[in-house]
């Protein structure tokens, strides 16, 4: 996924017209004359015509600018604001004006309309635009108008800041409400967009970003929110409340795209509206897309839209670290939650999500290092933690074998996850690369699953050529599932690496019918051909299953036809005839060690059930308590 709208903005045109005896500067259709003969240290006043109060922006030869009527003081408190007529066409400083620092008046009646506030600079000084109070409403209804934007084509850093009770509103597409942008591939500085208060509202349009940081250089892109409110609504496609993007695919780039939230609130209500996102085009293994939520609240809704006559509900993840289909990239995607509250309310909308389509790792992690952490998802295929390392190409080969790799890890050491939708998981890791591995690890915390066909912990490898391990490790905490076909722990592979579930401690309780406590599954792909050519139906599965239950681990399956521990393959069709019976394959051997407590459900439920094409071992220790 790319940051297409904000990456294709043309450079702002210089709007300076030289006249005899001085310079005439045009600001979005308003013209103000400047007296000739100014010294290099003189302050230049740009007076806007058509305003009764003659509102003005001033800037000096050192590149510093302020906007507001001459009569008001430059520092608070403000007693009056005589120039309260708005800047109807916006405030725009072009590269030719050499302005790099703009401080907007800290006054509630200060108003900018039209094309908003835009500072574009081409030199080597750092660029800074600050807004405290007042209103910026970018009303010109065409794509590419930004609320408050700081941009450079030079070599300095870029900062765009909003604090206090300032309000920024946009109502069109390809917009950054608070934008910091570096358009220089050789720039080594950072682009930082910082929201420490105020309100951002974005409506309509597509490819919009609330707090937006971007660089094509070698520095970091940092979009951060510590207070305030961001609301997105009625967007058509891919809107991000907080977004950081890096577009540098040099092998030497080792920086980060960082989206950070320590406080405040985000509410999205539009098609494919994401709370926080970081994305990079980096290929070096030290490059990273990094999202971190340590406080605040995010609520997402994915508005339904009609596409080609069909109604679709778009994803609306709360926080998402992404690395797209970048050939041979080994960069990382990391999404971390250490405090705060997340709630998602539409299909395909996970809480904490890391997706890597390259060769690098994807990590989604939750703990409570900075405060209580809560995730609630309410719709179909909406996971609490989701880590996908799913390369979409075969990439290069090594010794005749594709080198596509990537570790997918979902980790939880504290917090609360509640899953209310169907086909969803509390924690989900999937690796599809030939050499990729998948790990789900729970050390503590609580996961409650209330949707059918949903799981507490789910780890998966979906590649028949993969010989790496898929693993679930539970060291503590509790898992409860309350609907049918909802398992406590599921680990499965379609490859021929081991399927491993290690439950050292903690509790797993399943209450729905056909809801197993632990299921280690060895799947097979291209099933019909494999079954016909193999020496027995069970030969379709390739992997061996390992399950370990520690002394302090307890697994209880209460529902009808629910197994406490289950090892098997998957259901297959014997041939291509759709009327042929389906057969449950077995695993390619198993090893089960039980030191703790395991109980099976009623009906056809078993404490321990194995289906295997090869021999296996069940070892029940003297400390174990096993009940059908």
């Amino acid at each position: 996924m790319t940051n297409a709208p904000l990456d294709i903005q043309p450079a702002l045109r210089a709007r300076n017209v030289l006249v005899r005896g001085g310079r005439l500067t045009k600001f979005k259709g308003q013209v103000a004359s400047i007296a000739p003969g100014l010294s290099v240290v003189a302050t230049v006043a740009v007076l806007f015509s058509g305003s009764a109060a003659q509102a003005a922006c001033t800037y000096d030869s050192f590149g510093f600018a302020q906007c507001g009527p001459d009569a008001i003081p430059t520092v608070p408190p403000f007693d009056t604001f005589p120039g309260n007529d708005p800047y109807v066409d916006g405030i725009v400083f072009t590269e030719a004006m050499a302005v790099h620092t703009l401080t907007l008046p800290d006054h509630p009646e200060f108003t900018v309309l039209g094309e908003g506030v835009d500072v574009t600079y081409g030199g080597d000084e750092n660029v800074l635009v600050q807004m405290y109070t007042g209103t910026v409403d970018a009303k010109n209804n065409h794509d590419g108008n930004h609320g408050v934007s700081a941009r450079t084509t030079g070599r300095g850093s870029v900062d765009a800041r909003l604090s206090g009770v300032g309000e920024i509103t946009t109502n069109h597409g390809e917009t950054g409400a608070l934008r910091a942008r570096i358009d220089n591939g050789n720039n080594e500085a950072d682009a930082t967009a910082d929201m420490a208060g105020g309100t951002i509202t974005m409506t309509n349009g597509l490819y919009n970003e609330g707090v937006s940081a971007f660089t094509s250089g070698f520095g970091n892109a940092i979009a951060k929110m510590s207070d305030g409110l961001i609301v997105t609504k009625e967007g058509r496609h891919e809107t991000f409340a907080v977004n950081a993007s890096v577009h540098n695919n040099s092998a030497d780039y080792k920086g980060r795209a960082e989206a950070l939230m320590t406080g405040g609130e985000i509410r999205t209500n539009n098609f494919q509206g994401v709370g926080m996102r970081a994305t990079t085009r980096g290929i070096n293994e030290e490059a990273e897309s990094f999202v971190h939520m340590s406080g605040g609240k995010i609520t997402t809704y994915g508005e339904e839209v009609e596409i080609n006559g069909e109604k679709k509900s778009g994803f609306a993840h709360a926080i998402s670290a992404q690395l797209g289909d970048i050939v041979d990239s080994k960069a990382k995607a990391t999404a971390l939650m250490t405090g705060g509250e997340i709630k998602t309310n539409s299909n395909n909308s996970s809480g904490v999500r890391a997706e890597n389509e390259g060769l690098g790792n994807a990590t989604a992690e939750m703990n409570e290092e900075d405060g209580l952490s809560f995730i609630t998802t309410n719709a179909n295929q909406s996971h609490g933690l989701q880590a996908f390392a799913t390369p979409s190409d075969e990439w290069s080969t090594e010794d005749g074998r594709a080198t596509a790799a990537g570790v997918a890890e979902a980790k939880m050491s504290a917090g609360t996850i509640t899953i209310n939708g169907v086909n969803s998981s509390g924690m989900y890791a999937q690796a599809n690369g030939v050499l990729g591995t998948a790990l789900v690890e729970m050390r503590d915390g609580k996961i409650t699953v209330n949707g059918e066909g949903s799981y507490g912990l789910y780890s998966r490898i979906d590649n028949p050529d993969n010989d790496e391990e898929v693993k679930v490790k539970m060291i503590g905490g509790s898992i409860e599932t309350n609907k049918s076909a909802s398992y406590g722990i599921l680990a499965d592979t379609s490859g021929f690496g081991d399927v491993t579930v290690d439950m050292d401690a903690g509790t797993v309780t399943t209450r729905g019918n056909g809801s197993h406590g632990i299921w280690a599954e060895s799947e097979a792909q291209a099933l019909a051909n494999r079954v016909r050519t193999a020496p027995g139906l069970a030969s379709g599965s390739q992997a061996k299953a390992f399950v370990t239950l520690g002394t302090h681990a307890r697994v209880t399956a209460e529902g009808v036809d629910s197994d406490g521990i289950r090892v098997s393959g998957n259901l297959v069709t014997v041939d291509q005839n759709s009327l042929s019976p389906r057969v449950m394959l077995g695993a390619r051997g198993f090893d089960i060690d039980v030191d703790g407590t395991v109980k099976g459900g009623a009906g056809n439920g078993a404490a321990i059930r194995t289906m295997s094409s090869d021999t296996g071992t069940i070892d029940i220790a003297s400390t174990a308590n096993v009940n059908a």
Side-chain angles (χ1 to χ4, degrees):
M1 201 176 303
T2 62
N3 192 19
L6 299 189
D7 305 335
I8 59 175
Q9 299 300 316
L12 295 178
R13 298 185 303 275
R15 298 181 177 85
N16 300 325
V17 180
L18 297 179
V19 296
R20 179 176 298 176
R23 185 173 69 175
L24 188 69
T25 303
K26 182 180 181 184
F27 265 81
K28 295 299 180 183
Q30 296 178 326
V31 179
S33 61
I34 299 175
L38 292 170
S39 69
V40 295
V41 296
T43 298
V44 180
V46 182
L47 301 180
F48 286 78
S49 62
S51 170
Q54 290 295 298
C57 286
T58 63
Y59 64 98
D60 60 27
S61 59
F62 298 102
F64 293 86
Q66 286 188 316
C67 294
D70 291 338
I72 67 171
T74 57
V75 294
F78 294 97
D79 295 322
T80 61
F81 194 76
N84 57 9
D85 288 348
Y87 292 80
V88 294
D89 291 322
I91 297 171
V92 176
F93 288 94
T94 68
E95 284 181 294
M97 296 173 186
V99 169
H100 55 74
T101 302
L102 171 63
T103 302
L104 300 175
D106 187 4
H107 194 284
E109 295 181 21
F110 180 78
T111 304
V112 181
L113 306 176
E115 296 193 21
V117 178
D118 200 337
V119 174
T120 297
Y121 179 68
D124 294 336
E125 300 292 336
N126 297 334
V127 180
L128 171 63
V129 179
Q130 301 181 82
M131 178 180 177
Y132 304 101
T133 59
T135 301
V136 173
D137 190 351
K139 286 183 174 296
N140 278 10
N141 195 19
H142 62 78
D143 292 346
N145 287 342
H146 307 291
V148 173
S149 173
R151 173 178 175 263
T152 188
T153 58
R155 291 183 176 271
S157 65
V158 175
D159 286 87
R161 302 176 186 173
L162 172 65
S163 59
V165 293
E167 297 183 10
I168 299 175
T169 302
T170 67
N171 65 352
H172 41 78
E174 302 178 16
T175 292
L178 180 69
R179 184 182 82 147
R181 184 178 178 92
I182 293 175
D183 283 315
N184 181 342
N186 295 316
N187 187 304
E188 297 181 355
D190 294 343
T192 304
D194 185 356
M195 182 176 182
T199 303
I200 289 175
T201 304
M202 296 185 293
T203 61
N204 300 319
L206 70 163
Y207 300 115
N208 290 336
E209 300 174 9
V211 179
S212 171
F214 171 90
T215 183
S216 59
F218 284 85
N220 302 310
I222 305 167
K224 55 185 179 179
M225 180 180 186
S226 57
D227 203 353
L229 172 65
I230 301 176
V231 178
T232 75
K233 53 188 176 180
E234 301 172 9
R236 289 172 283 157
H237 191 61
E238 293 190 20
T239 295
F240 309 102
V242 176
N243 190 65
S245 298
V246 172
H247 281 202
N248 184 339
N249 61 0
S250 165
D252 296 325
Y253 180 76
K254 300 179 181 180
R256 267 181 170 184
E258 296 184 6
L260 311 174
M261 184 177 186
T262 59
E265 183 176 0
I266 293 172
R267 298 198 295 263
T268 74
N269 191 357
N270 52 283
F271 183 71
Q272 297 183 351
V274 175
M276 299 170 62
R277 185 188 76 154
T279 181
T280 184
R281 290 183 179 175
I283 63 174
N284 189 291
E285 61 184 7
E286 294 186 35
E288 185 173 17
S289 295
F290 180 76
V291 182
H292 183 190
M293 180 181 184
S294 58
K297 182 178 181 179
I298 299 176
T299 305
T300 69
Y301 295 85
E303 183 183 65
E304 271 196 345
V305 299
E306 188 170 300
I307 300 177
N308 298 326
E310 181 182 354
K311 283 192 174 182
K312 293 187 177 182
S313 177
F315 60 77
H317 309 301
I319 71 174
S320 178
Q322 286 184 274
L323 194 143
D325 185 1
I326 310 299
V327 175
D328 292 332
S329 173
K330 296 181 180 179
K332 299 180 290 290
T334 304
L336 173 63
M337 181 181 189
T338 61
E341 182 178 354
I342 285 173
K343 184 180 290 186
T344 73
N345 297 286
S346 60
N347 295 339
N348 305 300
S349 301
S350 296
V352 176
R353 182 175 188 269
E355 181 180 21
N356 195 329
E357 295 181 25
L359 308 182
N361 299 339
T363 303
E365 185 172 353
M366 179 184 189
N367 60 54
E368 293 186 333
E369 291 182 358
D370 296 298
L372 298 178
S373 297
F374 299 93
I375 298 175
T376 303
T377 69
N378 293 312
N380 179 40
Q381 294 187 6
S382 298
H383 315 289
L385 305 182
Q386 180 184 27
F388 275 13
T390 56
S392 57
D393 200 342
E394 290 301 318
W395 313 106
S396 58
T397 60
E398 186 175 277
D399 298 328
R401 189 156 180 254
T403 60
V407 177
E409 294 183 324
K411 297 181 177 182
M412 179 181 185
S413 56
T416 302
I417 296 176
T418 303
I419 304 298
N420 295 321
V422 300
N423 305 316
S424 305
S425 301
M427 299 168 65
Y428 182 17
Q430 179 171 329
N432 290 357
V434 172
L435 302 178
T437 62
L439 169 67
V440 171
E441 180 178 280
M442 183 177 186
R443 292 184 170 271
D444 205 348
K446 182 178 181 179
I447 296 176
T448 303
V449 177
N450 298 315
E452 292 187 2
S454 298
Y455 321 129
L457 310 181
Y458 183 23
S459 187
R460 174 173 173 77
I461 287 177
D462 190 14
N463 189 322
D465 297 320
N466 186 297
D467 63 357
E468 302 295 326
E469 181 184 44
V470 59
K471 186 172 185 176
V472 174
K473 187 172 182 64
M474 185 172 179
I475 300 171
S478 67
I479 298 170
E480 295 180 6
T481 75
N482 297 303
K483 297 290 184 177
S484 61
S486 296
Y487 317 124
I489 296 173
L490 174 61
D492 81 82
T493 184
S494 59
F496 49 98
D498 293 338
V499 180
T500 302
V501 177
D502 286 341
M503 184 176 174
D504 296 342
T507 62
V508 171
T509 305
T510 65
R511 298 189 173 91
N513 295 341
S515 297
H516 312 306
I518 295 174
W519 188 0
E521 184 180 21
S522 174
E523 292 194 16
Q525 292 186 342
L527 302 175
N529 292 332
R530 286 175 188 259
V531 169
R532 284 200 298 269
T533 58
L537 289 177
S539 300
S541 296
Q542 304 178 96
K544 185 175 180 179
F546 295 81
V547 178
T548 301
L549 208 66
T551 305
H552 300 291
R554 184 181 185 90
V555 177
T556 304
E558 297 182 355
V560 175
D561 300 334
S562 300
D563 301 330
I565 296 175
R566 178 186 180 94
V567 169
S568 75
N570 58 320
L571 281 168
V572 302
T573 301
V574 176
D575 58 35
Q576 300 296 342
N577 184 349
S578 61
L579 299 179
S580 65
R582 299 212 301 166
V583 177
M584 175 66 75
L585 296 180
R588 180 81 69 172
F590 59 90
D591 191 346
I592 300 173
D593 295 314
V594 178
D595 292 298
T597 298
V598 56
K599 179 181 180 297
N604 195 37
I608 302 172
R609 184 188 303 275
T610 64
M611 285 171 275
S612 175
S613 62
D614 291 0
T615 59
T617 301
I618 299 175
D619 187 354
I620 300 175
S622 60
T623 58
N625 185 350
V626 179
N627 292 288

